[in-house]
């Protein structure tokens, strides 16, 4: 991002995102728009989980737990910070659409994402440091337990709604504001994707991959494997927290039960299906696996929901039999590769 | 002062004493061999030197500082590189990326630079590619630079391990059975290479090897380890004439007779 042309491109992308953010809610079908937003958040979650499970070869099955941390911390900030900091937002949280809403929501959204992300990262550090010093499946067990801890804490905490869910505070009359929009979801998604891709193709990223390949050899060439694993875990957790904050301010009502183990497992499914370590795989898999149930639900009716998990399991089994490395394996889909593919027959 | 000094090093695994009272000094610029029958504790010595295990007793000094109990990555950064008896490459990475990974430890500009692709990052990125290409050329691996490393034949995988170990810029290089699985031509090339590394690059080398041809031709100093204890040390000629060594490898005639 150093050449002037890159700044121009970045600005252009921001402009396009902002414009779409204003136009889409008006012209797009509500359901389609909803699926689009949820897919975008799923992409953020999947790519950030891929940093941990795919790049560094660890096995976290508590990604939804970190999303929950981000969601609750982020939403608590905009609700309880309303009177002191975000007084310009309407108390019912409906900022509407249009160019003005972008400007009104920007500050609280950024603050909330940062708070949610940092809280998740901090907890990721606390959870990760002891379990990542060890090799093997400890992280899976610890992250599984962590998800339960978060659930119990939230359910017993009335200031964030406890088991009833959190949509605001009646005493001060403030709702969780609807500040999440297309701009933020896809802006963050692009940042996460760029981050993962730039890491993947850099010498810094090679160290993460080396830890995945062989920890003993990685140590022997001077890589501090514990630090590398903790780094990946903390960064992954940070983005999960950001995703949580986006989710909270989109739904406006968050239930702790929507961040349970099953949700975590959805993210693992997405990453495994796309190919562990493949960024493009995670993106496409996240888009498909979020959109597909919605499409099936609207075409087959509500009874599809009860078969959703069955279909996921079947999908994974078929995947393991036919293509165990995931759709993209460890490879990436890139425009350069596609170009080469089409060029080759012509030159030969 | 020797580059590497082991003083009364003991390593016990429960009741088993794998390495017992080892004293060893390796001078800078020397080319040393560590030999002994199977299970003598040679690889355990390597694992002690590289921090995989911490010694139960005794001290290991490298370049004047005690490194006993250090983590492996710290020892590697301090200047001890190694290869493994059972090859441990970063299998799914390409050949050149294996070497770049080792180079990256010193040259890593950090993930923030990588994310933003700053000029510093770009310059480091290019310098590691150049350096890696140089090392691959030295080890005669340039033609397979882009290939996945675990697709290489055995002998070349061993060479790649050496290239990767060199990329950590070691003062002392530990080679664990570098000639294992190589044909005579390959091991002859290897011997030539090992000498070159010492002569041209000034790397001190300590190697474990079962191929006596290689050991006797390439090493200047040999230490023989039996049941975790050094029984002899000296030049190849001394070792070959040493009755204790012959006994350890072949047994004694008197015992066989009785």
């Amino acid at each position: 991002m150093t050449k002037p042309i890159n700044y121009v491109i970045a600005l252009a992308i921001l402009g396009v995102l902002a414009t779409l953010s204003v136009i889409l809610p008006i012209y797009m079908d509500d359901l389609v728009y909803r699926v689009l937003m949820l897919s975008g958040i799923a992409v953020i979650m999947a790519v950030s989980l891929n940093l941990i499970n795919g790049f560094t070869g660890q096995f976290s099955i508590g990604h939804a737990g970190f999303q929950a941390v981000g969601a609750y911390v982020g939403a608590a900030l905009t609700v309880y910070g309303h009177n002191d900091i975000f007084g310009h937002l309407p108390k019912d949280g409906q900022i509407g659409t249009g160019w003005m809403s972008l400007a009104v929501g920007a500050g609280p959204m950024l603050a909330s994402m940062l708070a949610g992300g940092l809280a998740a990262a901090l907890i990721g550090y606390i959870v990760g440091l002891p379990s990542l010093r060890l090799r093997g499946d400890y992280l899976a067990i610890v992250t599984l337990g962590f998800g339960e801890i978060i659930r119990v804490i939230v359910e017993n905490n009335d200031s964030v709604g406890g088991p009833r869910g959190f949509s605001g505070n009646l005493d001060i009359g403030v709702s969780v504001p609807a500040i999440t929009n297309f701009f933020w979801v896809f802006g963050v998604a692009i940042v996460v994707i760029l981050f993962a891709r730039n890491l993947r193709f850099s010498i810094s990223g090679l160290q993460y991959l080396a830890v995945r390949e062989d920890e003993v050899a990685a140590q022997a060439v001077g890589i501090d494997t514990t630090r590398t694993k903790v780094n990946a875990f903390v960064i992954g957790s940070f983005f999960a927290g950001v995703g949580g904050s986006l989710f909270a301010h989109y739904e406006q009502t968050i239930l702790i039960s929507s961040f349970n183990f099953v949700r975590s497992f959805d993210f693992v499914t997405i990453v495994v299906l796309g190919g562990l370590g493949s960024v493009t795989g995670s993106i496409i898999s996240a888009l498909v696996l979020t959109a597909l149930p919605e499409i099936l639900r609207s075409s087959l009716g509500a009874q599809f929901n009860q078969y959703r998990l069955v279909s996921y399991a079947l999908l994974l089994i078929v995947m393991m039999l036919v293509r165990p490395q995931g759709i993209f394996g460890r490879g990436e889909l890139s425009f350069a590769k596609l170009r080469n593919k089409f060029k080759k027959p012509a030159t030969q | 002062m020797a580059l590497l000094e082991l003083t009364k090093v003991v390593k016990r695994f429960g009741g088993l004493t794998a390495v017992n009272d080892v004293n060893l000094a390796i001078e800078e610029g020397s080319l040393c061999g560590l030999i002994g029958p199977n299970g003598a504790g040679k690889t355990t010595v390597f694992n002690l030197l590289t921090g995989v295990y911490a010694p139960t007793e005794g001290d290991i000094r490298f370049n004047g500082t005690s490194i006993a109990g250090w983590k492996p990555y710290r020892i590697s950064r301090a200047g001890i590189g190694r290869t493994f008896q059972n090859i441990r490459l970063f299998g799914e990475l390409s050949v050149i990326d294996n070497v770049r990974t080792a180079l990256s430890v010193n040259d890593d500009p950090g993930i923030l630079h990588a994310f933003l692709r700053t000029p510093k990052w770009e310059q480091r990125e290019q310098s590691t590619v150049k350096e890696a290409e140089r090392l691959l050329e030295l080890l005669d691996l340039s033609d397979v630079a882009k290939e996945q490393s675990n697709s290489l034949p055995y002998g070349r995988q061993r060479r790649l391990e050496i290239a990767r170990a060199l990329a950590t810029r070691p003062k002392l290089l530990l080679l664990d059975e570098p000639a294992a699985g190589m044909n005579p031509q390959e091991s002859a090339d290897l011997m030539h290479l090992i000498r070159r590394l010492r002569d041209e690059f000034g790397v001190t080398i300590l190697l474990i090897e079962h191929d006596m041809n290689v050991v006797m031709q390439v090493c200047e100093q040999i230490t023989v380890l039996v049941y975790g204890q050094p029984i002899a040390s000296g030049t190849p000629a001394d070792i070959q004439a040493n009755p204790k060594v012959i006994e350890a490898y072949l047994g004694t005639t008197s015992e066989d007779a009785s």
Side-chain angles (χ1 to χ4, degrees), chain A residues 111-133:
Chain A
S112 157
M113 286 195 300
L114 212 61
L118 289 177
L122 178 71
I123 290 181
Y125 184 76
I126 296 167
V127 169
L129 195 60
S131 43
L132 289 167
R133 291 169 63 90

Side-chain angles (χ1 to χ4, degrees), chain B residues 91-103:
Chain B
E92 292 201 18
L93 302 188
S94 70
V95 168
I96 192 165
D97 279 354
N98 266 270
V99 179
R100 286 174 65 220
T101 305
L103 288 166

Side-chain angles (χ1 to χ4, degrees), chain A residues 1-3 133 191 194-195 197-199 201-204 206-214 216-225 231 235 330, chain B residues 71-73 76-77 82 84 88-93 97 100-102 104-105 107-111 114-119 121 124-125 128 164 168:
Chain A
M1 288 284 182
T2 44
K3 289 180 211 132
R133 291 169 63 90
V191 169
L194 266 183
F195 181 85
R197 175 259 203 176
N198 286 359
L199 190 66
F201 297 108
S202 71
I203 44 173
S204 315
L206 279 176
Q207 297 181 21
Y208 291 78
L209 303 182
V211 169
R212 174 188 79 197
E213 293 296 315
D214 192 320
V216 175
Q219 289 216 324
V221 297
I223 296 170
D224 184 347
T225 51
N231 273 353
I235 295 166
R330 300 230 200 268
Chain B
K71 288 242 160 96
Y73 74 88
S76 166
R77 289 180 191 181
R82 78 171 294 182
F84 293 91
R88 280 178 174 274
L89 290 171
F90 305 129
E92 292 201 18
L93 302 188
D97 279 354
R100 286 174 65 220
T101 305
S104 75
V105 175
D107 291 345
D108 188 5
I111 47 177
F115 176 37
L116 299 172
R117 307 225 143 161
T118 57
W121 171 82
R124 292 286 170 83
E125 205 65 31
T128 61
R164 189 181 65 183
T168 64

